[in-house]
Amino acid sequence: MADRTDLSLYLCKLEKRSPFSEAARTAFLALPVRQEQFPANHTIVSEGGRPTRSCLLTTGFVSRNKSLRNGQRQIVGFHVPGDMVDLQSALVMVADHSIQTHSPSTMLTIAHADLLEIAARFPEVGRTLWFDTLVDAAIFREWTLNVGARTAAAGTAHLLLEMHYRLKTAGLAEDGSFELPVSQAELADAVGISAVHMNRSLQALRGQKLIRTFRKTVTIENMPAMVELAEFTPGYMHPEGPRALPAT
Amino acid sequence: MADRTDLSLYLCKLEKRSPFSEAARTAFLALPVRQEQFPANHTIVSEGGRPTRSCLLTTGFVSRNKSLRNGQRQIVGFHVPGDMVDLQSALVMVADHSIQTHSPSTMLTIAHADLLEIAARFPEVGRTLWFDTLVDAAIFREWTLNVGARTAAAGTAHLLLEMHYRLKTAGLAEDGSFELPVSQAELADAVGISAVHMNRSLQALRGQKLIRTFRKTVTIENMPAMVELAEFTPGYMHPEGPRALPAT
DNA sequence: CGGCGGTTTGATGTGACTCAAAAAGAGTGG
DNA sequence: CCACTCTTTTTGAGTCACATCAAACCGCCG
């Protein structure tokens, strides 16, 4: 799970969903990658930019956000190691949102042309990347619900549960504990509330002994109550993987 | 643009983005479809359901929504004729949201197996469907911004502008006028505000002579002011189409 | 030790919600 | 064409969740 300079981390995740042929696996691992390092709070892609490579996050923490003229920022998603952060740029030419690190991060970048080529050559690879995009979209939908319909406390709880779930899947959480290198102001931008109110929502969760925080580590103390409050059901992330390929 | 019992409507839209080979075009039009009719306010897919066919909307108006236990409902997207409403179910087995008609609608449905098969056989088809999903995701992101960061009036304006833009692209709007067969309560669920507040937001827009409404017809009277208020930039829908396929 | 980003607290304002009921349309059947 | 019902829109009043502003506090780093 540690720092890798090859794509096996991502391959592993993809194949957990549906296996590749031997040839696809070989070609995938042979994709030319470039490793890049970024400091914390660094903007990797800006809204309106035209990235030329897609990024696989191997260590660190990044977010995707959009902003309004008045300075209001909305974080529309977080990414954890093992995520293809900028898969969409493979096909979409101009970025409709920014991507930013929250802790020092390392990425493996792949040229779009290479990604499209392997997707075209091996249908199972294309299908899996498409599925990745579908899961991404499902997470955005849930986030809309979070921001639009849930109360501040429930939305916050939901965000924490999602991050816990995803980090655990990536092997980066234990016993309901995980590192969240994100300030309260940033969490607020993700849930669509003010920083002050985020602070008070977290206090409420702590007061009810649902969570505990120390430095940037969050511990979920009462998982059932959190799940109940947030109405969290991880099904929307589709851990079951994609539909099996029709027999050919 | 009218009622068609074949897929040429959708093919047309897809090929405006990037052309298919002759063989792909033929295979696409030969996909076995089934035409289905639904009345208004009919639930086509329920959250948790397992649809077996994907739907292309040919006439009517539908939405995708998720709800909370307390009855709060969030509409996460609308669809206009020419949209593949349920493309995602081709790969994702269990629906994470419901799909509902708002006016009498007719759909062409395609078996998932057929869709996956043609996507695998013709890389350009797979790529185009993937792109469709990417645009879908981009719209969800903008919607999150709408619900989380914009004020009620600006969010409402943005929603109206997006619907106008998409309907116009589908040839269903003229001179800033379009049919929106959706009640104010439903619009409220889309913008994440109460029905009463939606009513007052619409009154505000009317009061400033930005829009006019008659029955279910909305007319945008002052396009520049609306665009300014909503900070609407259609770029997020990526009308430029996908990146060109790498020369093989 | 001073400066700095982040967290916490308090006070006050307001945008949006809820409840309730009237008014206006739309659909149905006689 | 009217009477009836049902839905949708509109209005008013009272309340609450959340925003804003401002200042204090804290841990961290140089």
Side-chain angles (χ1 to χ4, degrees):
Chain A
M1 213 45 70
D3 246 84
R4 300 288 295 261
T5 53
D6 65 49
L7 286 168
S8 54
L9 174 69
Y10 190 49
L11 179 67
C12 214
K13 174 172 159 182
L14 293 181
E15 287 211 78
K16 222 179 282 173
R17 293 169 171 170
S18 76
F20 285 3
S21 67
E22 192 53 40
R25 195 174 302 139
T26 311
F28 193 85
L29 288 174
L31 282 173
V33 298
R34 215 147 67 193
Q35 189 171 37
E36 296 184 36
Q37 301 261 3
F38 301 99
N41 302 313
H42 181 261
T43 298
I44 296 172
V45 176
S46 295
E47 201 169 330
R50 296 171 165 265
T52 61
R53 304 173 70 84
S54 285
C55 314
L56 169 66
L57 181 64
T58 54
T59 58
F61 207 87
V62 312
S63 70
R64 306 162 79 165
N65 63 78
K66 307 184 74 141
S67 339
L68 258 28
R69 266 202 315 271
N70 67 2
Q72 270 273 8
R73 181 179 58 163
Q74 178 70 43
I75 292 182
V76 296
F78 286 118
H79 283 289
V80 305
D83 286 351
M84 259 293 204
V85 171
D86 198 18
L87 180 53
Q88 57 134 30
S89 73
L91 272 178
V92 163
M93 276 180 288
V94 12
D96 54 54
H97 60 277
S98 304
I99 299 182
Q100 185 194 56
T101 61
H102 289 266
S103 59
S105 302
T106 89
M107 310 261 194
L108 289 183
T109 67
I110 311 171
H112 293 149
D114 292 332
L115 215 45
L116 292 180
E117 192 274 332
I118 196 175
R121 192 144 51 93
F122 299 100
E124 73 266 40
V125 174
R127 225 168 56 90
T128 299
L129 294 179
W130 180 15
F131 181 76
D132 218 42
T133 301
L134 284 167
V135 172
D136 227 41
I139 293 177
F140 292 133
R141 281 191 292 270
E142 188 70 31
W143 213 293
T144 302
L145 187 65
N146 227 21
V147 162
R150 277 189 255 257
T151 63
T156 303
H158 194 279
L159 176 59
L160 294 179
L161 287 171
E162 178 183 314
M163 292 328 296
H164 171 253
Y165 182 89
R166 290 170 63 185
L167 285 165
K168 203 173 75 180
T169 304
L172 295 170
E174 280 187 24
D175 304 331
S177 253
F178 57 96
E179 286 270 310
L180 194 65
V182 176
S183 74
Q184 292 184 5
E186 291 162 332
L187 286 177
D189 284 342
V191 181
I193 61 178
S194 70
V196 171
H197 201 53
M198 171 53 72
N199 182 277
R200 290 181 169 132
S201 299
L202 288 171
Q203 286 182 48
L205 294 179
R206 280 194 295 249
Q208 293 167 115
K209 299 250 183 283
L210 298 182
I211 63 166
R212 201 156 22 106
T213 59
F214 175 68
R215 307 282 162 92
K216 293 291 181 190
T217 303
V218 177
T219 306
I220 297 178
E221 288 207 285
N222 188 340
M223 184 63 79
M226 281 285 279
V227 167
E228 165 77 12
L229 170 65
E231 300 188 35
F232 178 71
T233 52
Y236 69 91
M237 289 179 275
H238 300 285
E240 74 279 6
R243 197 179 292 279
L245 200 66
T248 325
Chain B
M1 212 47 69
D3 247 86
R4 300 288 295 263
T5 54
D6 65 49
L7 286 169
S8 55
L9 175 69
Y10 190 49
L11 179 67
C12 216
K13 172 172 161 183
L14 293 181
E15 286 210 81
K16 222 179 284 174
R17 292 170 173 170
S18 77
F20 285 4
S21 66
E22 192 53 43
R25 195 174 302 138
T26 312
F28 192 85
L29 288 174
L31 281 174
V33 299
R34 216 148 65 194
Q35 189 170 39
E36 297 183 36
Q37 302 260 4
F38 301 97
N41 301 313
H42 180 259
T43 298
I44 296 172
V45 176
S46 295
E47 200 170 332
R50 296 169 164 266
T52 61
R53 304 173 71 84
S54 285
C55 314
L56 168 67
L57 181 64
T58 54
T59 58
F61 207 88
V62 313
S63 71
R64 307 162 76 166
N65 63 77
K66 308 184 70 141
S67 344
L68 257 29
R69 266 201 315 270
N70 68 2
Q72 270 273 8
R73 182 179 57 161
Q74 178 68 45
I75 292 182
V76 296
F78 285 119
H79 283 287
V80 306
D83 287 351
M84 259 293 204
V85 172
D86 197 20
L87 180 54
Q88 57 134 30
S89 72
L91 271 178
V92 162
M93 276 181 288
V94 12
D96 55 54
H97 60 278
S98 304
I99 299 181
Q100 186 194 51
T101 61
H102 289 266
S103 59
S105 303
T106 87
M107 311 261 192
L108 289 183
T109 68
I110 311 170
H112 293 147
D114 291 333
L115 215 43
L116 291 180
E117 193 273 332
I118 195 175
R121 191 145 52 93
F122 299 99
E124 71 266 39
V125 175
R127 224 166 58 88
T128 299
L129 295 178
W130 180 15
F131 181 77
D132 217 43
T133 301
L134 284 168
V135 172
D136 226 43
I139 293 176
F140 292 135
R141 281 192 292 271
E142 189 69 32
W143 214 291
T144 303
L145 186 66
N146 227 22
V147 161
R150 276 188 255 259
T151 62
T156 303
H158 194 278
L159 175 60
L160 294 178
L161 287 172
E162 178 181 316
M163 293 327 297
H164 171 254
Y165 182 88
R166 291 169 63 185
L167 285 165
K168 203 173 75 181
T169 304
L172 295 169
E174 280 188 23
D175 304 331
S177 252
F178 56 98
E179 287 269 311
L180 194 65
V182 175
S183 73
Q184 291 186 6
E186 291 162 333
L187 286 178
D189 285 341
V191 182
I193 61 179
S194 70
V196 170
H197 200 52
M198 171 54 72
N199 182 276
R200 292 182 170 134
S201 298
L202 288 172
Q203 285 183 48
L205 294 179
R206 281 194 294 250
Q208 292 168 103
K209 299 251 184 280
L210 298 183
I211 63 169
R212 202 158 20 107
T213 58
F214 176 68
R215 304 284 162 93
K216 294 291 182 190
T217 303
V218 177
T219 306
I220 298 179
E221 288 207 285
N222 187 340
M223 183 64 77
M226 281 285 278
V227 166
E228 165 77 13
L229 170 65
E231 299 187 35
F232 178 71
T233 53
Y236 69 91
M237 287 178 275
H238 300 283
E240 75 277 8
R243 197 178 292 279
L245 200 65
T248 324

